[in-house]
Amino acid sequence: MKQKKKLKVGVLVSGRGSNLQAIIDAIERGEVPAEISVVVSNVPGALALDRAAKHNIRSIVVDSKAFENKDEYEAQIIKAMEDTGADLVCLAGYMRILSPEFIERFKGRIMNIHPALLPAFPGLHVQKKALEYGVKYSGATVHFVDEGTDTGPVILQAVVPVLDDDTEESLSARILEQEHKIYPQAIKLFAEGKLKLEGRRIKVGKD
Ligand code: GRF
C-alpha cells in the first residue's frame, strides 16, 4: 500500500521550548502524522535546542543579533526551512516579528501559539495584562500568521478560568498546560488537511 507522505514541520523558537517539547511528544506518541524537519533558534543556547538534540532532531541557530539586515537574517531561516522540505512553519515562543516577505513565501503555512484568547490581549506580557484588566477567563489560541501581530485566522482556542488569587506565574502555567494540548492538535488537523479557510473563519472538516 502506498504510504501517505508525512507532513514536515519546521519549528522556530527563541527560548524554553516547552511547546516544541509538546509537539515532539505528541508526534512520538503517534498522535500527529508529522515529523519535525528542523528547529531554528534565533537565540544561541536556547533550551529548545537541547530538547531538539535529545530527540535527534536537526537544529540550527540563526542569531538574529548577528545580522544588521533583516532580509539576510530571514534568508537563512527560509533556507533552513526549504532545505529540509518544511511544509508548515510553527512559531513556538519565537520572539521576533516575521517580515511580510517571509509570510508571503509560506502563505497559509505558518502557525503561532499565543497565551490569550485572541483578539483579546495580542502582543507581549499578556497574562499580566489579562490580570490587570480583570477578565474572568483567558486561555490560549493557535492561529495562522498574517502580516499583523497575532491577527491571523484562529484555528483552535482553549479557555481557562482566572482565579482570584492568580499571579502572572500561576495563570501562565494554567494557560501553558492548554497550549501544550491545542498546538499538537492544530498541527494534526493541518496534517490531515482538515482546516478549511472561509473568509477569515477556519472550519474543521470531517473525515
Ligand atoms: C508560550 O506561552 C507561547 O504561547 C508564547 O511564548 C511562550 C513560549 O513558551 N508565544 P515555550 O518556549 O514554548 O516554552
Side-chain angles (χ1 to χ4, degrees):
M1 213 168 66
K2 207 178 147 211
Q3 200 78 37
K4 249 200 183 166
K5 194 178 149 272
K6 260 194 197 166
L7 181 85
K8 289 193 177 176
V9 183
V11 185
L12 262 171
V13 298
S14 301
R16 178 179 59 180
S18 71
N19 278 287
L20 168 69
Q21 188 69 56
I23 297 165
I24 294 171
D25 293 344
I27 290 174
E28 288 189 353
R29 287 194 302 268
E31 291 168 9
V32 180
E35 64 186 273
I36 296 179
S37 66
V38 67
V39 171
V40 181
S41 173
N42 71 309
V43 176
L47 180 57
L49 292 164
D50 298 337
R51 297 183 191 267
K54 272 200 190 113
H55 294 265
N56 296 317
I57 295 169
R58 182 178 352 189
S59 67
I60 66 160
V61 174
V62 183
D63 184 353
S64 44
K65 294 217 173 96
F67 292 81
E68 270 174 34
N69 179 314
K70 190 164 180 177
D71 288 350
E72 284 170 21
Y73 161 67
E74 283 192 343
Q76 299 296 314
I77 301 177
I78 291 170
K79 187 172 177 339
M81 294 296 162
E82 293 186 343
D83 284 355
T84 62
D87 306 298
L88 175 69
V89 176
C90 285
L91 312 185
Y94 177 63
M95 299 304 286
R96 305 273 298 192
I97 304 284
L98 292 171
S99 70
E101 293 73 29
F102 188 107
I103 291 163
E104 185 57 34
R105 187 137 183 160
F106 295 93
K107 207 177 167 73
R109 299 191 291 134
I110 310 173
M111 281 185 192
N112 183 40
I113 179 95
H114 183 75
L117 291 175
L118 292 171
F121 310 119
L124 294 175
H125 311 299
V126 298
Q127 299 92 337
K128 184 163 177 274
K129 286 180 190 158
L131 287 172
E132 282 169 0
Y133 193 93
V135 291
K136 298 298 181 194
Y137 292 91
S138 189
T141 303
V142 184
H143 63 94
F144 281 119
V145 173
D146 66 8
E147 291 73 20
T149 302
D150 303 320
T151 53
V154 171
I155 301 169
L156 292 176
Q157 291 187 304
V159 179
V160 306
V162 179
L163 306 179
D164 288 348
D165 59 356
D166 263 334
T167 60
E168 195 181 341
E169 289 69 36
S170 64
L171 179 59
S172 300
R174 193 174 309 115
I175 292 171
L176 196 63
E177 216 178 291
Q178 297 304 317
E179 294 183 34
H180 296 164
K181 292 183 185 156
I182 64 173
Y183 212 176
Q185 275 170 18
I187 297 169
K188 176 181 196 287
L189 292 169
F190 184 92
E192 294 170 343
K194 287 187 180 161
L195 299 177
K196 309 277 177 241
L197 189 64
E198 287 180 21
R200 59 163 291 131
R201 284 183 81 186
I202 292 179
K203 300 197 176 166
V204 178
K206 305 271 178 296
D207 283 321

